[in-house]
Amino acid sequence: MKHKSTGTLIRKLKEARGFESFCIENAEELAEADFCAYLEKLCREKRKEAGRVISASDIDRTYGYQIFNGTRRPSRDKAIQLAFGFGLDVEETQGLLRAADKSVLYPRIKRDAAIIFAISRKMSLTETQIFPMSLGMSIIGE
């Protein structure tokens, strides 16, 4: 699904007859209020179990389940690790970061650009952690 630009959403919000109608018409564009619900939705869409996502994300099992059940909020790096665990593409990763209330990957930031590059090349999490480190940047989850 192609997402609307932020500029388009702002224009639609300004032109909306009411906030509720804006929300209904643009529901797919708005971040989930409940990150747990967002993760559950991703599990259904990607046909993955939470435990497998956590393992593939290289996140401590207990901490990972705390993220999934809502007792802990992930850091930005943990959210990025979850994106790898789910096998998300760049757009889906940006959506996960928004749902986690974290800043999206920004290509003008060298480390973020390296992560975008790695995701778009379908590098594994391990390869992606090594890649920025080889460029003198911190690894994901450090």
Side-chain angles (χ1 to χ4, degrees):
M1 176 185 136
K2 180 102 169 116
H3 289 282
K4 296 173 186 167
S5 71
T6 302
T8 299
L9 286 175
I10 289 173
R11 183 179 48 75
K12 288 185 172 288
L13 187 55
K14 288 178 180 179
E15 295 169 354
R17 290 182 187 251
F19 183 71
E20 204 55 42
S21 63
F22 169 82
C23 290
I24 292 168
E25 292 170 14
N26 297 284
E28 291 290 319
E29 301 293 331
L30 302 176
E32 291 280 337
D34 182 358
F35 189 60
C36 297
Y38 188 85
L39 292 177
E40 288 175 20
K41 183 177 111 178
L42 270 179
C43 283
R44 283 191 308 276
E45 288 175 0
K46 299 294 182 179
R47 294 186 176 111
K48 296 197 176 196
E49 297 174 1
R52 291 191 184 270
V53 172
I54 292 165
S55 178
S57 301
D58 196 28
I59 294 175
D60 174 77
R61 184 174 174 270
T62 302
Y63 183 70
Y65 278 108
Q66 290 172 339
I67 292 171
F68 270 81
N69 71 27
T71 57
R72 303 275 307 255
R73 295 288 295 179
S75 66
R76 184 173 186 256
D77 273 7
K78 293 298 181 206
I80 293 169
Q81 286 177 251
L82 285 171
F84 278 94
F86 276 111
L88 303 181
D89 63 22
V90 174
E91 286 300 315
E92 293 168 324
T93 299
Q94 302 291 48
L96 184 137
L97 287 166
R98 282 186 206 94
D101 201 25
K102 304 299 176 192
S103 60
V104 296
L105 295 168
Y106 187 58
R108 292 185 187 271
I109 297 172
K110 193 172 182 179
R111 182 175 184 262
D112 284 5
I115 293 168
I116 292 168
F117 180 86
I119 292 170
S120 65
R121 299 296 189 288
K122 300 189 184 315
M123 290 182 182
S124 70
L125 177 59
T126 303
E127 291 170 321
T128 304
Q129 288 175 318
I130 293 168
F131 180 59
M133 190 174 67
S134 71
L135 300 171
M137 295 176 262
S138 63
I139 65 170
I140 300 169
E142 188 172 56

